Amino acid sequence: MNVSQCELPSPTTNYITLYNSLAHVTSSYVVLPVTYGSYKVFGPTGDEIETDLVPIQSAVLTVPGRQSNATHSLVFNATGLPPLGANLYLLEKITGAPSVATSVPAPKKGEDIVVDNGVSWQH
C-alpha cells in the first residue's frame, strides 16, 4: 500500500506555492492536512480566502504506517492560477480553538417549537 502524507513545515505560518502547468487560467481546490484549529488563508493579492476545516475520515486516520498528526483537512479554492505560472498563498494558524456552531436540542414530542428572529410584525 502506498501511504502519502506530509506535514506543514511551520506550526503557525506557511507559504504555499501553487503551480499551473496548463496553458490557460485555471482554478483548483486545495486540500492541506492540518491539526484541529483556526486557520486563515491569504491569496496572491493579500485578500483572505474562505476556508473549510473538514475532519479526516477515520479509515484514513487508521491506515497502517500512517505517521501524520493531521486530524483535519483545510480546504480552499485557489482561483485564477495563471497559465504556466504560479501563485503564492499564505497560511496562518490562529491561536485558540475555532469557533463552533452550537446545536439546539431537539424538541420533545408534543412540545411547541418557537422560532424567534428578533423581528416583530403587526398588521
Side-chain angles (χ1 to χ4, degrees):
M1 175 184 297
N2 180 13
V3 177
S4 297
Q5 60 189 30
C6 64
E7 296 289 334
L8 295 172
S10 168
T12 57
T13 303
N14 290 277
Y15 289 96
I16 300 160
T17 303
L18 298 179
Y19 178 72
N20 175 13
S21 61
L22 302 174
H24 57 83
V25 174
T26 190
S27 298
S28 180
Y29 281 95
V30 178
V31 181
L32 300 171
V34 296
T35 56
Y36 182 72
S38 293
Y39 295 86
K40 287 186 178 184
V41 173
F42 298 92
T45 61
D47 295 332
E48 186 174 350
I49 298 174
E50 183 177 335
T51 62
D52 285 319
L53 190 65
V54 181
I56 294 175
Q57 296 178 357
S58 61
V60 173
L61 293 174
T62 59
V63 168
R66 183 176 188 273
Q67 298 175 0
S68 174
N69 292 325
T71 56
H72 289 73
S73 294
L74 185 69
V75 181
F76 67 93
N77 191 9
T79 59
L81 295 169
L84 300 172
N87 279 348
L88 186 65
Y89 295 81
L90 172 64
L91 168 64
E92 291 183 342
K93 184 172 185 179
I94 309 303
T95 56
S99 58
V100 177
T102 57
S103 61
V104 177
K108 296 177 183 163
K109 188 173 182 174
E111 185 177 31
D112 290 338
I113 300 172
V114 177
V115 177
D116 183 6
N117 64 359
V119 176
S120 61
W121 181 73
Q122 295 178 340
H123 63 273

